[in-house]
Amino acid sequence: MGILSIFVDESGDFGTYSQHSPYYIVTMVFHNQESKITEQIQKLDQEILSLGYEKDFVIHTAPLIRKEEMFSSVSPNERRALFTKLFYFVIKSEIHYKTFVFEKKQFENVLKLEGRMAKEISQFIRGNQDFFQSFESVILYYDNGQHELNRILNTVLATELSQYDVRKVLPKDYKLFQAADLICTLQLLSLKCDRHELSRSEQLIFHNERELKKQFLKPIRKKKFM
């Protein structure tokens, strides 16, 4: 029956709504472990090495775009190259994803937001029970970065699935966790494109809305869970 891996990452926080943090985004990446992606992982490792980084270097897309942390002295062209290599790893791997978007200003408080998140994730799993029940086991991979989301995920999975396991991950150990991070970022960029709100940092990497949509946003939608 196989094993289903679910890699989860988020963009945003549980703080109050602000112009700089208007959304909370959760991405689930689904991988049937019988579908091997070893070749794609090895190719990505080699490409990262070719750019002068260690093969376990973590491509964390938000600071990459904003030129923060370890990317503070990296040129826009090199940052785009790193982003693109991770992007094509996602495109070429046999995986799918589901993204949940919550606009924080719609919720009076954190409890209301948490309740909606739990409801939508539960409805998604319940609406696709045949898919989830087709696997012998389901394993949730999350870095426990936000305890509220960790609690929601475990409560929902315990309610909706007959059996599941949990693994705490380090981004450097799992390329698919980095894939979830990239998809969260692309979802946020899509929302910003809709509002014509790309920042200067984002324009340096992706140039303009048209190119971003053509090169990244349109192709990634083919990986959506159907």
Side-chain angles (χ1 to χ4, degrees), residues 34-125:
E34 291 185 352
S35 300
K36 302 303 180 185
I37 59 172
T38 306
E39 182 179 340
Q40 288 81 6
I41 291 173
Q42 290 175 343
K43 186 174 189 298
L44 179 57
D45 284 342
Q46 291 169 359
E47 290 176 337
I48 291 173
L49 284 169
S50 73
L51 290 174
Y53 298 90
E54 299 293 330
K55 70 176 183 179
D56 62 353
F57 179 76
V58 176
I59 303 175
H60 191 185
T61 56
L64 179 150
I65 291 170
R66 295 194 297 261
K67 199 178 180 181
E68 297 173 346
E69 300 172 9
M70 71 287 288
F71 303 104
S72 61
S73 60
V74 181
S75 70
N77 285 345
E78 186 169 325
R79 285 183 283 131
R80 180 178 169 116
L82 284 166
F83 189 97
T84 301
K85 292 182 187 307
L86 179 59
F87 174 79
Y88 280 108
F89 161 76
V90 174
I91 292 296
K92 293 175 182 177
S93 296
E94 195 168 338
I95 59 175
H96 295 87
Y97 74 91
K98 171 66 177 178
T99 297
F100 303 87
V101 178
F102 306 93
E103 191 170 8
K104 293 197 295 184
K105 68 180 180 181
Q106 296 180 358
F107 304 96
E108 298 175 11
N109 52 51
V110 171
L111 289 178
K112 295 284 189 180
L113 172 59
E114 289 186 23
R116 175 65 67 82
M117 290 172 63
K119 180 178 180 180
E120 290 197 14
I121 296 172
S122 291
Q123 288 177 337
F124 168 72
I125 294 175

Side-chain angles (χ1 to χ4, degrees), residues 165-180:
D165 201 354
V166 180
R167 301 280 191 277
K168 182 179 178 181
V169 305
L170 295 175
K172 71 181 183 65
D173 295 330
Y174 293 95
K175 293 293 192 291
L176 291 183
F177 186 75
Q178 296 178 53

Side-chain angles (χ1 to χ4, degrees), residues 81-208:
L82 284 166
F83 189 97
T84 301
K85 292 182 187 307
L86 179 59
F87 174 79
Y88 280 108
F89 161 76
V90 174
I91 292 296
K92 293 175 182 177
S93 296
E94 195 168 338
I95 59 175
H96 295 87
Y97 74 91
K98 171 66 177 178
T99 297
F100 303 87
V101 178
F102 306 93
E103 191 170 8
K104 293 197 295 184
K105 68 180 180 181
Q106 296 180 358
F107 304 96
E108 298 175 11
N109 52 51
V110 171
L111 289 178
K112 295 284 189 180
L113 172 59
E114 289 186 23
R116 175 65 67 82
M117 290 172 63
K119 180 178 180 180
E120 290 197 14
I121 296 172
S122 291
Q123 288 177 337
F124 168 72
I125 294 175
R126 200 174 306 142
N128 294 279
Q129 268 305 343
D130 289 346
F131 169 76
F132 290 101
Q133 290 180 352
S134 69
F135 294 93
E136 178 182 358
S137 178
V138 174
I139 303 177
L140 170 67
Y141 294 85
Y142 182 55
D143 67 351
N144 296 348
Q146 296 188 6
H147 70 271
E148 297 95 339
L149 179 57
N150 189 44
R151 182 176 65 248
I152 290 168
L153 291 169
N154 279 278
T155 299
V156 168
L157 294 185
T159 302
E160 301 297 342
L161 300 179
S162 58
Q163 181 179 345
Y164 80 101
D165 201 354
V166 180
R167 301 280 191 277
K168 182 179 178 181
V169 305
L170 295 175
K172 71 181 183 65
D173 295 330
Y174 293 95
K175 293 293 192 291
L176 291 183
F177 186 75
Q178 296 178 53
D181 168 82
L182 177 135
I183 293 168
C184 277
T185 294
L186 286 173
Q187 178 62 63
L188 180 58
L189 288 168
S190 178
L191 292 165
K192 295 183 79 171
C193 272
D194 291 342
R195 289 168 164 76
H196 308 294
E197 293 177 350
L198 289 184
S199 68
R200 184 173 182 276
S201 296
E202 289 156 354
Q203 291 177 40
L204 279 174
I205 301 300
F206 303 106
H207 304 155
N208 54 60

